[in-house]
Amino acid sequence: MGFADNVRANRERLGLSQEELARRVGLTNSAVSQWEGGRAKPRIGVMKALSEIFGMTVSELLGEDAPGAGIHEPVGRSGMVPMRRLGRTHAGNAVEEIPDDGVVEVPAGVAGRHPHAFMLDVDGDCMDRVYPPGCVVMVDPDMEPWNGCAVVAETQPGESVMRRYMRGSSTLMLSPDSYEEHEDLVFSGDSCAEVRLVGVVVWYQASSDETGR
């Protein structure tokens, strides 16, 4: 089944109306109607929330036959495989996620270690000590974060940011790693629960080679 059929079948399996499912992911029932009609797909944060509600991976929700959100067998001698690109995040201030269908060629060995990973385009420069603006990152939604790792997180529904993850006993800090000055995003108490972790960044690819061509 494809994404639209999966949403409908799993919603009905759980006995949820379109309105009830929409409420659980913070949207309106018209959004669910569009998904089930094949007219739209949700942004990555909502996609992950849906997969958690349905008890399946993002790649299974998308209806991919192969594991890994669109990974296929390597072609020729390249050792590269295509991995699905699910949208865009921002290395700076949180911005609205922009759906961006397509695939990115990634090393087969890396893809094999992260079978449910997906790719995101990165805008902004607040992580440019490691991740250059315009790069594409591989995000593993199953990996548990550790202090200092790079993550993609939703700070508001539909708005995501890439930062360094730092978790204390009662605070969560998403910190920049940049040559420029950027502020930390700090959450404490109940506000920590409002931050949804999309996944851990495990690999990246620059947008061009170092000659700029």
Side-chain angles (χ1 to χ4, degrees):
M1 289 191 294
F3 173 75
D5 291 334
N6 270 330
V7 173
R8 181 184 297 107
N10 282 280
R11 176 179 62 77
E12 292 175 349
R13 173 177 61 84
L14 295 176
L16 299 172
S17 67
Q18 289 185 344
E19 184 177 359
E20 289 169 331
L21 178 60
R23 192 181 305 120
R24 291 181 65 169
V25 295
L27 297 172
T28 64
N29 61 320
S30 64
V32 179
S33 176
Q34 289 184 27
W35 303 338
E36 294 185 355
R39 299 186 299 276
K41 288 182 181 178
R43 308 187 194 287
I44 181 57
V46 175
M47 189 85 73
K48 186 178 181 187
L50 285 171
S51 70
E52 292 170 353
I53 291 169
F54 295 152
M56 61 201 317
T57 66
V58 171
S59 56
E60 290 168 340
L61 179 59
L62 286 168
E64 301 289 351
D65 293 329
I71 297 174
H72 305 283
E73 292 298 319
V75 178
R77 303 178 185 176
S78 69
M80 304 292 281
V81 296
M83 179 173 286
R84 184 177 292 277
R85 177 169 49 200
L86 292 185
R88 181 171 296 146
T89 190
H90 200 273
N93 297 322
V95 296
E96 184 181 10
E97 296 161 359
I98 302 172
D100 187 8
D101 289 338
V103 295
V104 177
E105 294 287 321
V106 303
V110 178
R113 292 194 296 274
H114 305 280
H116 300 137
F118 50 83
M119 307 300 292
L120 292 175
D121 292 325
V122 176
D123 291 332
D125 64 356
C126 88
M127 293 291 286
D128 63 359
R129 286 183 182 273
V130 178
Y131 305 98
C135 72
V136 185
V137 294
M138 182 186 297
V139 181
D140 189 332
D142 299 329
M143 184 172 286
E144 288 294 321
W146 63 94
N147 282 349
C149 73
V151 300
V152 175
E154 273 198 343
T155 55
Q156 297 182 52
E159 295 186 358
S160 67
V161 65
M162 185 172 76
R163 293 287 184 97
R164 293 285 178 195
Y165 176 94
M166 296 296 294
R167 185 66 192 255
S169 58
S170 60
T171 61
L172 170 62
M173 185 163 63
L174 301 175
S175 299
D177 188 2
S178 174
Y179 295 108
E180 302 296 328
E181 216 175 293
H182 294 274
E183 293 183 358
D184 295 325
L185 301 178
V186 182
F187 306 86
S188 60
D190 293 341
S191 65
C192 292
E194 299 174 4
V195 179
R196 177 186 293 274
L197 182 68
V198 174
V200 175
V201 177
V202 294
W203 183 85
Y204 82 93
Q205 176 177 290
S207 59
S208 61
D209 63 29
E210 56 185 29
T211 67
R213 293 196 293 266

